[in-house]
Amino acid sequence: MIYLDHNATTQTRPEAIDLVTNIMAQVGNGSSTHCAGRAASMHIERAREQIAKAINTRPAQVIFTSCATESINTILKTFKGERILASGIEHAAIVDCGNAELEIIPVTSDGIIDLDTMEAMLERAPTALVNIMYVNNETGVIQPIKEAIEIAHKYGALIHIDAVQALGKIPVDFKDSGADYMSFSAHKVGGPQGVGCFAFAAKKPIRPLMIGGKQEKNQRAGTSNVAGIAGMGLAVEIAVENINRYDELATWRDDIENRLTKSLPGITINGKNTPRVGNTISLTCAKITNTIQIMNLDLDKICVSGGSACSSGVAKPSHVLTAMGLTDDDALSTIRISMGWNTTQDDVNQFIEKYTKIIERLNK
Ligand code: PLP
């Protein structure tokens, strides 16, 4: 199998698998005061320190959750009933969170947030929260978050950055960015599925989504997923130590894009002329639906996706691509190729060779 869908979920790092399985063999609730509980709590606090160090914040500002969706929902629900802005390329966790107050900030054809319009929207009426996705999951486009944060703060709004696809791919600095909240997910960086966290700057108390025990300083009730949290901490540490890997992936990305656009008709790359992370390609192959492309690649045991994984299975044009000005037809003819920490040069070569053959055959 050639797995090129790392933005959906990436291979768990072997070091994280070892740690998670070792901890799962132990007993202990992180909230218990006896020695088993203290051992569990030690794993959680170590992970909190690893993540805080990786994103440059204090451990006390990191709250563990079950996934980034939960992190995002917690933050958005904290602002329920208040005016919220979000870019037009946000994840469903934001768009479909049920906030009727959500207003959409447009993006340019390159997939970059339109900062002038954002400022005009902020000028128009008081705003509680702005949401920006740091790196887009479908295109890999990197947003100018520092500028966006400055503008939001100029108008008294707080700002949440969905940094799920940024962590481990580009440097993420919570403190220096000035963001008020950032969300993260373990399984996008080589940790286990079902764990996430958010970082917060203490400007407004969080309204917890989960009500019950006093875990996570009363901000997220429920017995902590000790093994998963420990796996996330270690995976984040390793991913950040190996961040240069994305420079190599960027050369392979360019190679794929150059070779395919030269050899095949009707290929366009979305967000090509703008800063992007090294691992992601959003490729439109005009007049061939992504369902057909994905099925044919799958027959060759190559895994890619169309749009975001969360909406695959549903033939709906991606809102990210249509926000960038693609027609519905072009959006439905777009696949996402996303490499990861264990992608090899051979995977890349085989993908180029097999994809070329498939498209040539379908074009006949
Ligand atoms: N935000 C972005 C940018 C994502 O790519 C994803 C996952 O697809 C999420 C949020 C949700 O993450 P999780 O799977 O941890 O809920």
Side-chain angles (χ1 to χ4, degrees):
M1 176 179 86
I2 296 174
Y3 185 78
L4 295 172
D5 200 12
H6 288 265
N7 286 7
T9 198
T10 193
Q11 177 73 49
T12 313
R13 300 241 180 204
E15 300 91 333
I17 296 175
D18 284 350
L19 183 64
V20 169
T21 45
N22 281 340
I23 295 176
M24 285 186 86
Q26 298 164 22
V27 67
N29 180 325
S31 304
S32 303
T33 51
H34 47 60
C35 56
R38 289 200 305 277
S41 167
M42 208 187 68
H43 290 303
I44 297 171
E45 295 318 315
R46 175 160 168 67
R48 207 185 304 279
E49 279 166 22
Q50 286 167 314
I51 292 167
K53 186 167 173 225
I55 63 167
N56 190 24
T57 189
R58 286 184 295 112
Q61 291 175 284
V62 175
I63 298 295
F64 288 109
T65 60
S66 66
C67 58
T69 298
E70 187 195 322
S71 300
I72 292 167
N73 278 216
T74 305
I75 294 158
L76 261 83
K77 300 271 184 203
T78 294
F79 292 84
K80 200 160 177 56
E82 299 180 82
R83 185 175 189 232
I84 301 175
L85 306 186
S87 86
I89 54 164
E90 295 302 306
H91 191 269
I94 285 178
V95 183
D96 297 336
C97 190
N99 285 71
E101 308 78 13
L102 197 96
E103 291 173 42
I104 298 296
I105 311 164
V107 296
T108 66
S109 57
D110 283 331
I112 295 276
I113 181 164
D114 180 341
L115 291 174
D116 291 339
T117 304
M118 172 179 151
E119 182 151 11
M121 291 170 83
L122 286 164
E123 226 165 357
R124 203 178 309 140
T127 304
L129 183 73
V130 177
N131 296 276
I132 311 277
M133 193 189 283
Y134 200 159
V135 167
N136 186 264
N137 49 323
E138 294 186 37
T139 61
V141 169
I142 303 169
Q143 297 299 323
I145 60 157
K146 266 198 122 166
E147 289 91 324
I149 291 166
E150 269 172 29
I151 295 171
H153 285 169
K154 188 169 138 193
Y155 293 90
L158 299 184
I159 182 156
H160 163 237
I161 303 294
D162 173 349
V164 167
Q165 297 287 351
L167 188 61
K169 295 179 181 135
I170 54 170
V172 173
D173 191 321
F174 181 69
K175 190 171 162 200
D176 179 62
S177 74
D180 300 291
Y181 308 93
M182 269 193 193
S183 303
F184 305 97
S185 178
H187 72 108
K188 310 287 187 180
V189 292
Q193 296 177 342
V195 195
C197 70
F198 63 86
F200 69 101
K203 288 191 187 142
K204 179 179 166 103
I206 293 289
R207 190 185 297 169
L209 200 60
M210 311 288 270
I211 311 296
K214 306 279 178 246
Q215 292 87 357
E216 297 296 305
K217 300 194 184 67
N218 285 336
Q219 314 228 36
R220 199 278 182 178
T223 300
S224 303
N225 174 359
V226 182
I229 289 171
M232 178 173 187
L234 181 59
V236 168
E237 186 177 88
I238 296 171
V240 169
E241 274 167 9
N242 291 285
I243 206 157
N244 291 344
R245 171 84 171 111
Y246 282 78
D247 297 338
E248 183 180 25
L249 295 182
T251 64
W252 294 351
R253 174 200 65 194
D254 294 345
D255 191 34
I256 296 174
E257 293 180 357
N258 292 336
R259 284 167 66 184
L260 293 180
T261 42
K262 270 192 197 120
S263 65
L264 296 169
I267 300 274
T268 44
I269 306 297
N270 303 304
K272 186 169 171 57
N273 302 315
T274 198
R276 283 181 294 158
V277 285
N279 75 316
T280 308
I281 300 171
S282 170
L283 179 151
T284 306
C285 183
K287 300 197 169 49
I288 305 181
T289 66
N290 53 20
T291 316
I292 298 282
Q293 296 181 53
I294 292 164
M295 262 169 43
N296 277 276
L297 283 164
D298 193 36
L299 290 172
D300 277 337
K301 298 214 161 6
I302 298 178
C303 307
V304 303
S305 70
S308 64
C310 310
S311 56
S312 50
V314 188
K316 235 176 87 183
S318 142
H319 72 283
V320 172
L321 300 176
T322 51
M324 290 167 67
L326 268 73
T327 62
D328 284 5
D329 280 351
D330 279 348
L332 286 168
S333 299
T334 301
I335 58 168
R336 174 183 71 187
I337 301 127
S338 52
M339 297 174 279
W341 63 270
N342 63 346
T343 300
T344 63
Q345 175 84 69
D346 188 51
D347 293 338
V348 169
N349 291 340
Q350 284 206 52
F351 167 74
I352 295 173
E353 188 190 314
K354 291 187 169 152
Y355 185 71
T356 304
K357 280 193 184 141
I358 289 168
I359 299 301
E360 282 173 350
R361 193 176 66 234
L362 292 169
N363 270 332
K364 271 190 189 148

